[in-house]
């Protein structure tokens, strides 16, 4: 499976961040999502935060009606969010930890301490036809706990790899991601990856075994401000495409 190209799921949260800066209607993440799909994105990701700092309930509901590829909802494991997910029924839900003060999701879920709640809520979501992913650090314990809880996917947190200041540390983090991807697969989990990926660091992650999708937000939206969303998405697709052996390229 090492040679299969991962799908690109574009996270459009930061289109909403720009809109919320003025509290108006523009730019609309729903329009942005459609442009991402037209440019070749194979999924759209949004994080409906409890504080609604970027994506709003209205966005999620409209995206459910308009997204043609796949809608992935990132959310905290709360009663409110599970209720919304069960109403909206995205194809996938990715459970993430959430702290009000953080700039972005900082670490993976503490799966072991949430195990009881996960054992209860994952079957509810799956019964509604939603695939459930857990955003985890690339270590054995959360992977084992994710498997015990019946998650479909884990999304491996690539933030430490992306933020590593030096090459040696970056290589070590990449190795950790590879080991985790293999172990997750052995445990029967499907694997996604994301956080902090950009045009320069995405290639080695796209080459990891068993990774089915990459969730990328900030780098694409930031570049879109300068070159346009269509080009920004296509350039990222090209970087991911470079990870595939020639016979696997479309
Ligand atoms: N995956 C998860 C679980 C996230 O929380 C985020 C940030 O919202 C991302 C991927 C995307 O991260 P980035 O914006 O750094 O590409």
């Amino acid at each position: 499976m090492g040679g299969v190209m991962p799908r690109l799921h574009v996270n459009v949260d930061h289109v909403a961040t720009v809109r919320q800066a003025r509290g108006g209607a523009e730019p609309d993440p729903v329009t942005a999502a459609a442009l991402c799909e037209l440019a070749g994105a194979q999924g759209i990701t949004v994080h409906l935060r409890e504080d609604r700092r970027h994506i709003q309930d209205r966005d999620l509901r409209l995206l459910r009606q308009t997204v043609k590829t796949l809608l992935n909802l990132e959310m905290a494991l709360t009663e409110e969010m599970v209720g919304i997910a069960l109403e909206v029924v995205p194809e996938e839900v990715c459970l993430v930890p959430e702290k009000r003060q953080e700039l972005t999701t900082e670490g993976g879920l503490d799966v072991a301490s949430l195990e009881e709640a996960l054992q209860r809520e994952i079957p509810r979501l799956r019964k509604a036809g939603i695939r459930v992913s857990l955003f985890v650090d690339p270590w054995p314990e959360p992977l084992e706990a994710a498997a015990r809880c019946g998650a479909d996917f884990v999304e491996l947190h690539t933030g430490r790899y992306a933020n590593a200041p030096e090459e040696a540390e970056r290589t070590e983090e990449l190795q950790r991601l590879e080991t985790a991807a293999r172990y997750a697969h052995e445990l029967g989990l499907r694997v996604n990856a994301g956080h902090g990926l950009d045009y320069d660091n995405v290639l080695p992650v796209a080459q990891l075994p068993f990774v089915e999708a990459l969730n990328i937000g900030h780098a694409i939206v930031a570049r879109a401000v300068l070159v346009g969303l269509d080009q920004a998405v296509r350039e990222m697709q090209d970087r991911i495409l470079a990870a595939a052996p020639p016979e696997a390229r479309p």
Side-chain angles (χ1 to χ4, degrees):
M1 183 130 184
V4 176
M5 225 179 47
R7 302 159 61 99
L8 172 60
H9 294 177
V10 180
N11 178 320
V12 295
D13 290 353
H14 294 309
V15 176
T17 302
V18 176
R19 177 190 61 192
Q20 299 310 110
R22 287 295 166 94
E26 301 292 342
D28 192 333
V30 179
T31 310
L35 291 172
C36 290
E37 288 189 315
L38 288 171
Q42 292 149 307
I44 298 298
T45 296
V46 288
H47 184 174
L48 184 68
R49 293 186 66 102
E50 292 183 86
D51 62 12
R52 307 300 197 271
R53 78 165 68 143
H54 40 51
I55 293 295
Q56 305 297 308
D57 299 65
R58 163 265 185 209
D59 303 329
L60 180 63
R61 288 170 204 281
L62 285 177
L63 285 166
R64 174 62 299 174
Q65 292 172 42
T66 57
V67 165
K68 296 183 175 61
T69 52
L70 169 161
L71 182 60
N72 172 35
L73 170 62
E74 293 177 3
M75 62 180 218
L77 184 59
T78 65
E79 197 49 46
E80 182 201 13
M81 288 299 156
V82 171
I84 291 173
L86 291 173
E87 265 176 50
V88 172
V89 194
E91 278 78 14
E92 288 179 18
V93 151
C94 180
L95 298 171
V96 299
E98 215 173 274
K99 290 187 226 132
R100 281 179 195 266
Q101 304 309 322
E102 69 192 354
L103 282 178
T104 180
T105 317
E106 285 168 359
L109 266 187
D110 182 0
V111 182
S113 78
L114 290 173
E115 204 160 328
E116 208 183 303
L118 289 165
Q119 300 269 11
R120 189 178 61 240
E121 301 301 335
I122 290 176
R124 288 180 73 200
L125 293 162
R126 295 191 76 230
K127 213 166 146 202
I130 303 168
R131 293 187 291 273
V132 180
S133 179
L134 305 184
F135 186 50
V136 294
D137 291 308
W139 300 318
E141 297 78 11
L143 300 177
E144 290 160 3
R148 280 198 301 275
C149 293
D152 298 278
F153 279 91
V154 283
E155 178 173 334
L156 298 177
H157 192 325
T158 52
R160 278 171 186 266
Y161 158 80
N163 296 326
E166 286 170 20
E167 193 56 33
E169 199 181 324
R170 215 167 89 104
T171 307
E172 198 179 308
E173 292 300 337
L174 189 64
Q175 186 56 53
R176 199 164 275 153
L177 287 164
E178 178 171 347
T179 305
R182 291 188 189 284
Y183 190 41
H185 179 74
E186 258 176 51
L187 291 166
L189 293 159
R190 297 171 70 182
V191 184
N192 294 328
H195 210 284
L197 297 178
D198 63 24
Y199 295 85
D200 296 324
N201 67 22
V202 72
L203 182 66
V205 176
Q207 287 171 323
L208 289 174
F210 308 115
V211 173
E212 296 187 35
L214 301 177
N215 280 300
I216 308 181
H218 187 268
I220 292 175
V221 174
R223 187 153 179 79
V225 172
L226 305 178
V227 304
L229 195 49
D230 184 82
Q231 190 177 324
V233 171
R234 286 178 199 277
E235 285 180 20
M236 188 59 83
Q237 287 279 20
D238 287 347
R239 300 291 166 108
I240 294 172
L241 193 60
E247 66 276 11
R249 293 180 197 161

